[in-house]
């Protein structure tokens, strides 16, 4: 059975991107990739380990190749989660709440709109999943995808106003499948927009980014989720 991947460091270092560039947008340092002329933009909100994760940037490049301008902001401002046993996890979580991440994304959205972008979606991974779920209730984006989200509440779901997909793992101590199913049932009771919930078998929290590139099964599961995310945005961000 798979174990949590978000707190591990499998072989991902071969996935090093050199396509995009670092820029400041909305007062936030961002990795930006894709055509500046695109009217469709996606914001990728990182896991707790930050926006420098090579596999996150490679995924941004891959999605940008489909015609999107993709922005990966440093919403943690260089203050990334640490695996050190002495690290103050509770203090870090209080400092970097998902609600703050949502608010800090709004100037980025405004900056994109000022550049002529007309449709914006947001994808969040782990910690970022909670951020984009809140964005889905803010009126600032047109669609959202949360991949192995760490913390989403029923109150968050009650506020959602746009199409949203939740992609979860069979093994996830942060948001177990049963809880994810309950959130999906609440979404299904809101017929004014489309929602989608899927639990991927045989994978653990973090599987879409922190996977071993030498493990064919892990790569296949990650790429399947990547494609579902891209299909969702292709359908709703236009």
């Amino acid at each position: 059975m798979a174990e949590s991947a978000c707190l591990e460091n499998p072989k991902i270092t071969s996935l090093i991107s050199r396509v995009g560039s670092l820029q400041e947008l909305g007062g936030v340092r961002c990795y930006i990739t894709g055509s500046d002329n695109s009217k469709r933009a996606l914001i990728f909100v990182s896991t707790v380990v930050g926006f420098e994760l090579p596999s996150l940037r490679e995924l941004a490049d891959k999605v940008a190749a489909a015609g999107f301008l993709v922005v990966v902001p440093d919403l943690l401002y260089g203050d990334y989660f640490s695996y050190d046993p002495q690290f103050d996890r509770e203090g870090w979580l209080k400092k970097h709440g998902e609600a703050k991440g949502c608010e800090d994304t709004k100037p980025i959205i405004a900056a994109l709109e000022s550049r002529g972008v007309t449709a914006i979606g947001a994808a969040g991974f782990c910690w970022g999943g909670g951020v984009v779920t809140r964005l889905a209730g803010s009126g600032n984006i047109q669609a959202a995808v949360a991949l192995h989200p760490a913390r989403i509440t029923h109150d968050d779901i009650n506020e959602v106003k746009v199409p949203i997909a939740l992609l979860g793992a069979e093994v996830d101590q942060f948001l177990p499948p049963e809880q994810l199913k309950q959130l999906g049932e609440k979404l299904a009771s809101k017929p004014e927009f489309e929602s989608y919930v899927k639990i991927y078998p045989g994978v653990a929290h973090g599987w879409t980014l922190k996977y071993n590139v030498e493990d064919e099964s892990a790569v296949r599961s990650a790429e399947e989720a990547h494609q579902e995310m891209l299909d969702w945005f292709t359908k709703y961000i236009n």
Side-chain angles (χ1 to χ4, degrees):
M1 183 66 70
E3 297 178 355
S4 176
C6 222
L7 302 182
E8 298 175 353
N9 289 289
K11 293 182 179 179
I12 59 173
T13 55
S14 65
L15 305 177
I16 297 177
S17 167
R18 296 182 175 86
V19 177
S21 62
L22 291 175
Q23 304 175 37
E24 185 172 296
L25 191 66
V28 180
R29 186 173 57 140
C30 301
Y31 176 78
I32 300 179
T33 181
S35 173
D36 287 336
N37 297 320
S38 178
K39 302 298 183 184
R40 301 182 301 161
L42 301 176
I43 298 172
F44 281 10
V45 184
S46 76
T47 73
V48 295
V49 300
F51 85 137
E52 297 176 347
L53 189 67
S55 57
L56 176 59
R57 293 189 179 184
E58 181 185 70
L59 178 57
D61 292 337
K62 182 167 69 173
V63 172
F68 293 95
L69 177 65
V70 184
V71 177
V72 188
D74 183 14
L75 295 176
L76 299 175
Y77 304 98
D79 182 24
Y80 308 132
F81 192 89
S82 172
Y83 304 112
D84 188 322
Q86 303 303 315
F87 183 70
D88 181 7
R89 298 188 177 196
E90 290 303 315
W92 187 92
L93 288 170
K94 289 179 180 178
K95 182 178 179 181
H96 297 292
E98 290 86 349
K100 181 179 185 300
C102 176
E103 289 304 311
D104 288 355
T105 306
K106 292 177 182 179
I108 298 171
I109 294 171
L112 287 169
E113 292 172 339
S114 72
R115 292 169 56 163
V117 170
T118 57
I120 300 173
F125 307 81
C126 179
W127 174 82
V131 174
V132 302
T133 302
R134 286 163 175 79
L135 280 172
S138 70
N140 294 99
I141 62 173
Q142 284 72 58
V145 179
L147 302 96
H148 41 88
R151 298 193 301 181
I152 298 177
T153 69
H154 285 271
D155 288 340
D156 297 332
I157 294 299
N158 285 336
E159 296 300 319
V160 171
K161 301 178 179 68
V162 297
I164 186 170
L166 306 179
L167 307 182
E170 180 182 6
V171 180
D172 196 326
Q173 71 271 41
F174 300 106
L175 190 61
E178 284 306 313
Q179 293 183 25
L180 192 64
K181 289 177 183 177
Q182 292 173 12
L183 297 177
E185 291 169 359
K186 185 172 286 290
L187 283 170
S189 70
K190 298 164 72 76
E192 60 269 28
F193 58 82
E194 187 172 351
S195 61
Y196 175 70
V197 175
K198 180 175 180 177
I199 297 169
Y200 280 71
V203 298
H205 181 87
W207 93 96
T208 68
L209 292 179
K210 303 199 77 176
Y211 56 91
N212 188 341
V213 296
E214 297 177 359
D215 183 331
E216 291 184 5
S217 176
V219 171
R220 186 166 53 249
S221 294
E223 290 183 344
E224 181 181 344
H226 299 165
Q227 188 61 51
E228 289 213 81
M229 176 189 68
L230 179 56
D231 290 345
W232 191 260
F233 287 132
T234 299
K235 181 176 182 180
Y236 292 109
I237 304 301
N238 48 51

